[in-house]
C-alpha cells in the first residue's frame, strides 16, 4: 500500500518510519510512504507557504497554491489514483470501521495542515475526505497522519507477524469488546499472582474466562461499545456484532 504524505514538516515522520514494525513492512515492500514538502512547491519569491488571514485574526493560513500544485504533481507521478484525506479537527472521527475501509485502498494521499488551517479553497478544489483523530486540538495534522498510517498498515496482510492478532483486537468490526488481561512470567510478582485458570492447561476454561473478562471490562469501562450498532459487517463472518473469542481458540 502506498501513502503520499504532504506536509510542512517531513522530518516529523522520519523517526516513526524508521521504527521496527513499519521499517520491516517498508523493507518487505508491503508499505511505501513518500514524503512531500509543500515548501518546495511555493511559487512565491520568498518561499512562503502561509500568510495572514483575510479579515484579520490570529495565526497564519496555509496558501492554496503550494498545496494544490504539490498534490497535482504527486498524482501525475502516481500509477493509480488514491483517496485524498485531509487531517483536520473538523473531519469525521477516525474509528476502526473507517480504518478498515481505508486499508482496502491501494493508495492514500494525506494532507497535513497546521491548526489554523488551509485556505478554504484547498477543500473546495480537492474535495478531500476530512478526518479527525479525536475531540482535542493538535498543533498540526502530522501526528494525526501517523496515527492513521499506524492503524491502517497493521491491517495489511503480512505487516503483523500474526494476522489473527489484529482481527481479535478491541474495536475491529469482528471484535467489539475490550481485550482480556494478559500475563507472562513470573507466576508471582510482589505478591500478585497469575490467575490459576491460565496455568491450568484447560483451554475451553481459559477461553470462557477470557471472554468473561472481556465482557466485564467492556461493561465497566466502555458500555457504549455494547450498545453501538454493528457496522461494516459485509466482510466479516460475525453477523451479530459481538466478539466470540472461543471460536478461534484451540480447544
Ligand atoms: Cl487531524 N488535526 C489537528 N490539528 N488536531 C486534531 C486532529 C487533526 N484530530 C484531532 N485533533
Amino acid at each position: 500500500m502506498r501513502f503520499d504524505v504532504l506536509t510542512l514538516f517531513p522530518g516529523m515522520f522520519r523517526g516513526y518510519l524508521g521504527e521496527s514494525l513499519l521499517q520491516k513492512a517498508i523493507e518487505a515492500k508491503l508499505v511505501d510512504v513518500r514524503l512531500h514538502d509543500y515548501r518546495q512547491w511555493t511559487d512565491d519569491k520568498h518561499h512562503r507557504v502561509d500568510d495572514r488571514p483575510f479579515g484579520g485574526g490570529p495565526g497564519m493560513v496555509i496558501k492554496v497554491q503550494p498545496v494544490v500544485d504539490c498534490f497535482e504533481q504527486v498524482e501525475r507521478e502516481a500509477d493509480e489514483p488514491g483517496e485524498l484525506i485531509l487531517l483536520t479537527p473538523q473531519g469525521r472521527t477516525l474509528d476502526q470501521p473507517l480504518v478498515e475501509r481505508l486499508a482496502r485502498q491501494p493508495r492514500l494521499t494525506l494532507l497535513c495542515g497546521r491548526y489554523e488551517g488551509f485556505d478554504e479553497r484547498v477543500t473546495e478544489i480537492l474535495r478531500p475526505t476530512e478526518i479527525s483523530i479525536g475531540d482535542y486540538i493538535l498543533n498540526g495534522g502530522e501526528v494525526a497522519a501517523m496515527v492513521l498510517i499506524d492503524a491502517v498498515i497493521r491491517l495489511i496482510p503480512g505487516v503483523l507477524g500474526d494476522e489473527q492478532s489484529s482481527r481479535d483486537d478491541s474495536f475491529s468490526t469482528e471484535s467489539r469488546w475490550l481485550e482480556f488481561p494478559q500475563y507472562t512470567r513470573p507466576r508471582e510478582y510482589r505478591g500478585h499472582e497469575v490467575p490459576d485458570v491460565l496455568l491450568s492447561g484447560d483451554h475451553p476454561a481459559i477461553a470462557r474466562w477470557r471472554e468473561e473478562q472481556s465482557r466485564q471490562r467492556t461493561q465497566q469501562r466502555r458500555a457504549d461499545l455494547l450498545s453501538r450498532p454493528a457496522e461494516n459487517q459485509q466482510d466479516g463472518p460475525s453477523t451479530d456484532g459481538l466478539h466470540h473469542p472461543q471460536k478461534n481458540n484451540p480447544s
Side-chain angles (χ1 to χ4, degrees), residues 15-48:
Y16 166 65
L17 294 174
E19 282 309 320
S20 59
L21 181 90
L22 189 47
Q23 189 178 17
K24 288 205 187 80
I26 291 169
E27 282 166 5
K29 305 227 183 299
L30 295 168
V31 177
D32 180 8
V33 184
R34 308 212 186 168
L35 301 171
H36 310 273
D37 188 343
Y38 302 126
R39 211 172 294 277
Q40 294 179 339
W41 291 94
T42 164
D43 64 7
D44 133 350
K45 62 177 183 290
H46 305 292
H47 291 279
R48 290 180 65 155

Side-chain angles (χ1 to χ4, degrees), residues 45-159:
K45 62 177 183 290
H46 305 292
H47 291 279
R48 290 180 65 155
V49 286
D50 56 11
D51 207 341
R52 287 170 293 125
F54 280 124
M60 300 291 272
V61 175
I62 298 178
K63 289 155 65 77
V64 58
Q65 171 273 322
V67 176
V68 170
D69 284 357
C70 180
F71 171 75
E72 288 178 344
Q73 182 60 28
V74 166
E75 291 309 292
R76 268 196 295 278
E77 289 176 358
D79 310 331
E80 51 195 344
E83 180 161 345
L84 178 62
I85 292 166
L86 173 69
L87 283 311
T88 164
Q90 301 184 30
R92 163 175 173 193
T93 308
L94 187 67
D95 59 9
Q96 197 65 21
L98 178 54
V99 169
E100 290 177 11
R101 184 178 78 68
L102 297 176
R104 292 194 288 264
Q105 308 290 324
R107 251 190 89 216
L108 295 175
T109 301
L110 307 180
L111 299 182
C112 307
R114 52 194 286 168
Y115 166 51
E116 291 83 0
F118 292 99
D119 186 307
E120 186 64 17
R121 291 166 293 186
V122 169
T123 51
E124 290 174 12
I125 294 167
L126 302 181
R127 297 265 154 227
T129 303
E130 296 180 58
I131 296 177
S132 162
I133 63 163
D135 292 340
Y136 40 79
I137 300 298
L138 304 169
N139 287 315
E142 285 75 13
V143 171
M146 287 184 251
V147 168
L148 186 152
I149 293 170
D150 205 87
V152 166
I153 62 160
R154 59 193 301 291
L155 300 183
I156 298 171
V159 169

